[in-house]
Amino acid sequence: MKKNAFKMALISAVAIAAASTAFAAEKLKVGFVYVGPVGDFGYSYQHDQGRLALQKALGDKVETTFLENVPETDSDRPIEQLARSGHKLIFTTSFGYMEPTLRVAKKFPGVKFEHATGYKRAENVATYTAKFHEGRYVIGQIAGKMTKTNTIGYVASFPIPEVVAGINAFMLGAQSVNPSVKVKIVWANTWFDPGKEADAAKALLAQGADIISQHTDSAAPLQEAEKAGKLGFGQASDQFRFAPKAQMTAIVDDWSSYYIERTKAVLNGAWKSKDTFGGMDADMVHMAPFTNMPDDVKKMAEETFAAIKAKKLNPFKCPIVDQDGKAVECKDGKALTDKQITSMNWYVKGIDDKLPK
Amino acid sequence: MTSELFQLVLMTVVTAATPLILASIGELVTERAGVLNLGVEGMMIMGAAMGFAGAYSSGSTAIGALCGILAGMAMAALFGLLTIGFAINQVAAGLALTIFGTGLSGLLGAGFVGLKRDRSDQLHIPGLSDLPYVGQLVFGEDLFVYVAFGLVAGVAWFLSRSRTGLALRATGDNHQSAHALGLSVRRMRFLATLFGGACAGLAGAYLTLAYTPFWSPGMTAGRGWIALALVVFASWKPWRVVLGALLFGGATVLQLHAQAAAFGLPGQLLSAVPYLATIVALVLLSSGARKNAAAPAALGQAFIAPR
């Protein structure tokens, strides 16, 4: 009797396992590789929100897996592991995964790879990133309107094009509403070190900045602004909960629509390697709710956001004058090209800082 | 420079130095007993996670600090069990402890990510704390700061003036002789390791309770490793730990202020200053007359009692 029951249980277990494998085999397996923890409430968190949206939208056709905290220097193994375990579409979401992704892609020509923020592609490797600088233009305008000391503090991470383009877009936004505004920049030389980021914000506040903007990943600078009774912006994700009295808005990365679109392309066989540089128009960049500001500033911010989304306004519209007063070559006629933006290594006029080379 | 700016700059130096002082002074005692625990970063981040969890759940900074200390001690106890109990290689066990602590803190702290609480209280003595230039600096710091300086004074006295301190140093310098004298080498080393863990845990708790009052995985950002380097920099002398921590914290923070004040110096070069200062100090120290006298002679060696 007992033996029989055990046998029955065993058989049903095997049956269930077989059924679930059969079921799983029909689904497309999609893998994600994150550089940070999904709980960072910042960059990796936003990518995972995209994965969850994909799961929700196409849950009956796809099965998603993610690997978090994957160091860039040792990412070949985890990426290959995903490819070996039957994942047919793999998103590698940090700049440093570029070479490892290409190496693994070479070994698995049947698998599609998508690398975020990189610039090297292959037959089965596409790249994608978002125009975060569009959001920086909006917060620059808000800062230009809201500053009383005409001094805005900016905690920067590393002098790479994405960050430099962010500073420039921010400055152009601020100048568009306040010609006498000054932006003070402190390079923290880190993406994530709450203590150091807080110290950088303190230094900027001590020099008379009354608004803190940041391009580092923790909420520490925003919290310093709140503690000092000043204002600031969230980074990569809505950080309102950290500073309800200081956060005016935040630039929110949104990968959902991209992940859904690309997965659909694999499902219907239309996937091709390409480069995507999407902004507000592609729903890849959002703004968190506008708070802690008067209605007229809020209205202005909403209008700017709508104008950029409708492609009526380009933060890098010509003419643009660089730090030395030279006009920047306008290759596209009306605005800087995507290539000029993604390789930006110069400051616009009015920035009182020397770009570290 | 105005009084306010002067104090603000110096106070940020002190806040940057405090976690380094706390973690280093603990590791110093551990190493003086002959145990090299490379797991400071792991113990520190566990202290940061558990300190925040404790303080958030109980609403009390003191309970949070205690949880941080206990978390650091638990990690140190594990390390002690492996290296002192089973005589496993200390370097390997220490590195494993850091990896373990980083992972475990992320797991245990997952429920506390994205929460915030108020900064721990700062001392306020009417009159004294309001003095220009030095009032806030000397009489208005976080309580952790006074604890850190108190610990350094206590350790300095303990190592050089107390009988137990002498026994601890003997254990670190020559464990065979200490054993022959009837001292319990393993017990002494285990206690010294626990003290190091407690200090590292407290240093971690300082980060989440006073420095930046929220928890986020990986937020120690290498401070445990700097604390380890500071012990060498201090040539195993307590007060030099303070000097080194202030120098290191000071150089890190002052370069940020220099950038904000637009002195026109490049940020990367300024960021390198603390490391350059450390190298220069190490060269100066090791070129002194008693260059090899500093390190405990039995540092990192497992002790197995002769039978």
Side-chain angles (χ1 to χ4, degrees):
Chain A
M1 184 65 200
K2 220 176 180 183
K3 211 173 177 183
N4 265 345
F6 177 72
K7 232 177 192 172
M8 282 303 290
L10 193 72
I11 290 167
S12 56
V14 169
I16 290 167
S20 61
T21 5
F23 189 55
E26 289 165 15
K27 287 189 173 186
L28 173 73
K29 285 174 92 178
V30 185
F32 290 81
V33 186
Y34 307 136
V35 69
V38 292
D40 69 354
F41 282 91
Y43 186 75
S44 293
Y45 172 78
Q46 289 302 132
H47 280 288
D48 201 52
Q49 291 296 306
R51 179 186 68 85
L52 292 170
L54 169 66
Q55 184 82 52
K56 208 172 159 193
L58 301 170
D60 52 337
K61 298 192 194 80
V62 299
E63 189 190 319
T64 64
T65 317
F66 71 89
L67 300 174
E68 59 181 339
N69 277 323
V70 174
E72 294 181 330
T73 44
D74 184 23
S75 51
D76 283 83
R77 232 168 10 88
I79 297 171
E80 185 163 340
Q81 190 195 334
L82 284 176
R84 277 193 193 287
S85 53
H87 293 81
K88 291 293 170 209
L89 175 62
I90 297 168
F91 293 93
T92 56
T93 64
S94 189
F95 181 77
Y97 299 150
M98 184 161 71
E99 296 299 340
T101 303
L102 287 162
R103 278 196 292 270
V104 179
K106 220 172 195 176
K107 288 193 226 166
F108 295 88
V111 178
K112 312 279 188 277
F113 293 84
E114 296 260 355
H115 176 236
T117 71
Y119 54 85
K120 284 190 183 170
R121 282 167 291 282
E123 190 87 330
N124 59 337
V125 182
T127 51
Y128 63 103
T129 187
K131 292 178 178 171
F132 306 114
H133 64 264
E134 294 182 343
R136 303 234 169 237
Y137 187 85
V138 178
I139 66 171
Q141 273 199 335
I142 297 170
K145 276 274 188 207
M146 295 295 291
T147 179
K148 294 189 184 78
T149 57
N150 271 341
T151 307
I152 300 163
Y154 201 113
V155 181
S157 48
F158 293 100
I160 59 170
E162 185 201 331
V163 177
V164 175
I167 293 171
N168 284 339
F170 183 90
M171 187 62 176
L172 291 170
Q175 283 171 338
S176 73
V177 294
N178 181 351
S180 53
V181 74
K182 274 199 206 114
V183 176
K184 279 187 186 293
I185 300 162
V186 168
W187 294 95
N189 286 309
T190 176
W191 282 112
F192 183 80
D193 180 344
K196 199 171 177 189
E197 292 171 49
D199 289 338
K202 277 184 203 159
L204 288 162
L205 291 165
Q207 290 296 329
D210 61 349
I211 292 175
I212 298 292
S213 182
Q214 62 177 100
H215 204 147
T216 51
D217 288 345
S218 89
L222 181 61
Q223 273 197 338
E224 284 304 325
E226 168 143 317
K227 189 184 151 220
K230 309 290 190 218
L231 298 166
F233 302 100
Q235 160 78 3
S237 185
D238 190 347
Q239 295 177 324
F240 186 76
R241 64 171 83 197
F242 286 106
K245 282 186 243 132
Q247 179 178 300
M248 294 192 284
T249 183
I251 302 164
V252 180
D253 315 349
D254 186 348
W255 309 100
S256 319
S257 55
Y258 183 77
Y259 288 161
I260 294 169
E261 178 203 319
R262 297 300 277 171
T263 308
K264 276 185 182 161
V266 172
L267 285 170
N268 60 32
W271 192 95
K272 270 200 183 76
S273 169
K274 62 167 186 172
D275 180 43
T276 303
F277 191 35
M280 290 172 173
D281 60 321
D283 279 331
M284 285 169 85
V285 180
H286 283 295
M287 304 302 292
F290 298 108
T291 47
N292 294 313
M293 64 181 83
D295 286 344
D296 61 319
V297 182
K298 187 174 168 182
K299 188 161 169 277
M300 176 202 70
E302 280 166 351
E303 281 169 10
T304 306
F305 175 73
I308 297 176
K309 194 172 161 74
K311 292 196 158 191
K312 283 183 195 144
L313 173 65
N314 187 328
F316 289 119
K317 64 173 183 291
C318 295
I320 290 173
V321 179
D322 75 6
Q323 209 175 8
D324 308 324
K326 278 205 312 264
V328 179
E329 189 191 352
C330 204
K331 286 182 181 161
D332 194 26
K334 286 184 190 141
L336 299 188
T337 60
D338 287 354
K339 203 169 171 195
Q340 277 178 298
I341 295 167
T342 52
S343 61
M344 203 169 266
N345 61 353
W346 44 268
Y347 280 141
V348 294
K349 195 176 175 192
I351 290 180
D352 188 21
D353 181 52
K354 243 172 112 178
L355 192 60
K357 287 274 158 75
Chain B
M1 206 186 251
T2 65
S3 158
E4 275 163 40
L5 185 60
F6 176 82
Q7 287 205 67
L8 190 126
V9 171
L10 289 187
M11 282 185 77
T12 40
V13 172
V14 173
T15 21
T18 302
L20 301 178
I21 294 176
L22 282 168
S24 300
I25 200 69
E27 177 68 11
L28 183 138
V29 170
T30 308
E31 291 191 15
R32 285 299 279 267
V35 180
L36 180 66
N37 185 351
L38 295 182
V40 181
E41 180 86 0
M43 301 190 293
M44 199 168 173
I45 192 121
M46 278 297 288
M50 293 299 99
F52 187 83
Y56 191 85
S57 309
S58 67
S60 151
T61 303
I63 291 178
L66 188 68
C67 289
I69 292 172
L70 290 175
M73 285 175 84
M75 293 288 283
L78 179 66
F79 177 83
L81 180 73
L82 293 173
T83 59
I84 302 164
F86 301 136
I88 284 172
N89 181 296
Q90 293 177 8
V91 172
L95 293 175
L97 195 70
T98 289
I99 299 166
F100 177 59
T102 310
L104 188 65
S105 64
L107 185 69
L108 296 178
F112 294 90
V113 175
L115 302 173
K116 71 159 202 156
R117 66 187 300 275
D118 288 332
R119 203 167 293 241
S120 72
D121 292 333
Q122 290 170 330
L123 188 68
H124 189 86
I125 304 170
L128 286 176
S129 299
D130 305 321
L131 288 171
Y133 290 97
V134 293
Q136 183 103 56
L137 186 63
V138 182
F139 301 106
E141 300 277 2
D142 295 302
L143 296 177
F144 288 90
V145 175
Y146 303 104
V147 171
F149 281 88
L151 268 176
V152 175
V155 166
W157 176 84
F158 168 77
L159 285 178
S160 61
R161 298 267 179 264
S162 78
R163 188 176 171 81
T164 323
L166 181 68
L168 184 141
R169 283 188 284 137
T171 311
D173 279 330
N174 189 332
H175 48 208
Q176 302 297 0
S177 305
H179 178 71
L181 282 170
L183 297 169
S184 172
V185 173
R186 286 168 148 194
R187 187 164 154 263
M188 182 65 84
R189 286 192 168 169
F190 192 73
L191 291 174
T193 305
L194 281 187
F195 180 78
C199 289
L202 185 63
Y206 176 78
L207 292 180
T208 46
L209 300 179
Y211 203 156
T212 53
F214 62 88
W215 156 253
S216 189
M219 67 183 293
T220 45
R223 285 187 178 74
W225 297 108
I226 294 170
L228 271 167
L230 279 177
V231 177
V232 182
F233 172 86
S235 54
W236 292 269
K237 300 225 176 1
W239 287 107
R240 289 195 195 162
V241 162
V242 177
L243 184 75
L246 286 173
L247 184 74
F248 206 92
T252 312
V253 165
L254 290 177
Q255 62 95 357
L256 294 172
H257 282 279
Q259 285 191 59
F263 288 161
L265 295 164
Q268 269 84 352
L269 184 68
L270 291 168
S271 286
V273 165
Y275 300 93
L276 289 175
T278 308
I279 293 171
V280 170
L282 284 175
V283 170
L284 289 178
L285 280 173
S286 61
S287 61
R290 294 172 298 147
K291 55 182 163 191
N292 293 323
L299 181 62
Q301 294 171 18
F303 174 72
I304 298 161
R307 288 184 199 278

